[in-house]
Amino acid sequence: LDATPGSPRYLGWEPTGYFDRWFPCDEVDLRLALQRAHQVYKEGEREAVRWPDAANAHESLVYAGRLPKLTSRGLPAITADCKHHPRNTIDLMGPLLYEWQKRFLSLLRLDRCRTLQLLVLDGSARLARHLQDSLEDVEVFATDAKKLPKPKPLGPLRDKARTSVDYDRLQTAPPALKLTENEFDVVVIPFVLQRLCKGDLKALLSMMREALRCCSGHVLLAEDLPEEQLVEWKQVIQGDWSATILMDGTLPSGEVKDHFLSPICDSRERRYLVIDAASFQDRKEARAVRGFKRSFTTPV
């Protein structure tokens, strides 16, 4: 149940993730009233709506305690200690989004005192739509590399409800965001190594630098990376770029059947970073500029 002020809504959450849907409170009340009336006049055994695997007590999500936790607004939240296996990319990023909202988002709101601007690299717009629905006082924008559209039977119906994607803000060769400095409060980089950087770690690092340049608050990175790679990157992020790593952690491993933002559906190592972009400054670039200036001022 969405507890935000206004007309109450219920979120219908189901195992595959394809058919999650918000229902108006009036519609739910009518459905329950019809169900009660049906049970009153129905002869024989009552029908019950059950979770699809509820018949198997050992593998059931319900009885095995593998359903997500609920937030104060009644939304499913997949945390680091949650037993629920991710259905899709949104579930996979659950621990990152949960910890960021719990630890850092409220402080960022207090610092800005306005609606936050969030940019996510998401051509599907599914993650962008989820963020828009689940985050209060946040305006979400999506960008991605432009690709030739693939024919889809339900494309026209799907496009009517999708969040728009601005393909003009991102270029991949070389990686660059066509944005001014500090234009967004939050930038989310979800699984772009294979999707946008073609497996090139240097290109991904350049993408992170661009995100820090365009962000005045937090940069959130989720990727299929071993811990050793992040240790090396931390030296660059904190040493050369003067940015602060607020948090790093692991994401669920194993197969994710609907990993719509990555071609790698099965990975043993997935990690995330939350970076404070407020102090970002490329020291290497600054040193190169100072050296260039000195070459013109040094007497011969």
Side-chain angles (χ1 to χ4, degrees):
L1 175 63
D2 185 358
T4 53
S7 179
R9 300 181 301 164
Y10 289 90
L11 175 61
W13 189 91
E14 58 83 42
T16 67
Y18 286 106
F19 306 106
D20 290 0
R21 179 185 161 191
W22 285 100
F23 293 90
C25 187
D26 294 343
E27 184 178 348
V28 175
D29 289 342
L30 178 60
R31 178 67 184 88
L32 293 176
L34 290 173
Q35 184 176 7
R36 286 193 294 268
H38 174 72
Q39 290 178 349
V40 169
Y41 293 103
K42 179 176 172 57
E43 296 180 0
E45 296 183 0
R46 292 185 177 182
E47 296 179 349
V49 178
R50 297 184 180 276
W51 203 261
D53 60 1
N56 189 334
H58 297 287
E59 299 180 2
S60 167
L61 298 180
V62 177
Y63 296 114
R66 291 190 282 122
L67 286 179
K69 297 180 180 179
L70 295 179
T71 66
S72 58
R73 296 177 56 200
L75 301 176
I78 298 179
T79 61
D81 58 349
C82 180
K83 297 179 181 179
H84 173 73
H85 187 75
R87 310 165 299 168
N88 50 39
T89 306
I90 296 173
D91 289 354
L92 185 59
M93 294 188 63
L96 163 58
L97 298 174
Y98 178 80
E99 293 297 334
W100 171 66
Q101 292 179 64
K102 177 183 174 182
R103 297 171 183 243
F104 309 113
L105 181 55
S106 59
L107 295 176
L108 187 62
R109 282 200 181 103
L110 289 173
D111 184 56
R112 297 297 188 270
C113 297
R114 56 171 171 77
T115 299
L116 299 180
Q117 307 282 307
L118 183 149
L119 178 69
V120 56
L121 278 58
D122 170 26
S124 72
R126 289 176 62 183
L127 177 59
R129 188 164 59 248
H130 168 76
L131 292 172
Q132 188 65 78
D133 290 340
S134 59
L135 297 176
E136 298 180 86
D137 299 324
V138 176
E139 189 174 3
V140 178
F141 300 86
T143 187
D144 209 322
K146 194 166 187 177
K147 298 179 181 178
L148 294 175
K150 297 181 180 179
K152 297 180 180 180
L154 299 178
L157 294 176
R158 186 183 299 107
D159 290 339
K160 286 183 179 180
R162 69 178 294 176
T163 303
S164 60
V165 180
D166 186 350
Y167 295 102
D168 296 329
R169 286 177 164 172
L170 175 67
Q171 71 176 40
T172 56
L177 289 168
K178 300 176 183 179
L179 303 168
T180 60
E181 293 185 8
N182 301 329
E183 185 167 340
F184 284 90
D185 300 294
V186 183
V187 177
V188 183
I189 310 175
F191 300 99
V192 301
L193 178 59
Q194 304 298 331
R195 181 166 53 92
L196 298 177
C197 300
K198 300 180 180 179
D200 186 351
L201 292 173
K202 291 184 178 180
L204 176 55
L205 198 60
S206 298
M207 188 75 75
M208 292 171 58
R209 184 194 177 282
E210 276 292 281
L212 288 167
R213 178 185 66 83
C214 304
C215 180
S216 63
H218 302 149
V219 172
L220 280 58
L221 170 74
E223 195 53 78
D224 299 299
L225 289 173
E227 185 176 2
E228 296 76 19
Q229 185 63 58
L230 286 185
V231 171
E232 180 181 339
W233 282 2
K234 285 178 182 179
Q235 298 176 358
V236 176
I237 295 170
Q238 299 182 129
D240 295 337
W241 295 348
S242 301
T244 303
I245 297 178
L246 300 175
M247 190 174 185
D248 71 290
T250 59
L251 294 172
S253 59
E255 183 182 7
V256 178
K257 293 184 179 180
D258 185 21
H259 196 354
F260 56 84
L261 288 183
S262 175
I264 301 178
C265 296
D266 194 350
S267 176
R268 294 182 179 180
E269 294 182 291
R270 296 187 179 105
R271 302 193 66 85
Y272 70 81
L273 287 177
V274 178
I275 308 172
D276 185 0
S279 59
F280 167 72
Q281 179 187 4
D282 194 333
R283 292 180 180 177
K284 279 190 174 181
E285 185 178 86
R287 287 197 295 268
V289 171
R290 287 196 297 269
F292 181 74
K293 289 181 178 179
R294 281 198 297 271
S295 67
F296 283 91
T297 56
T298 304
V300 179

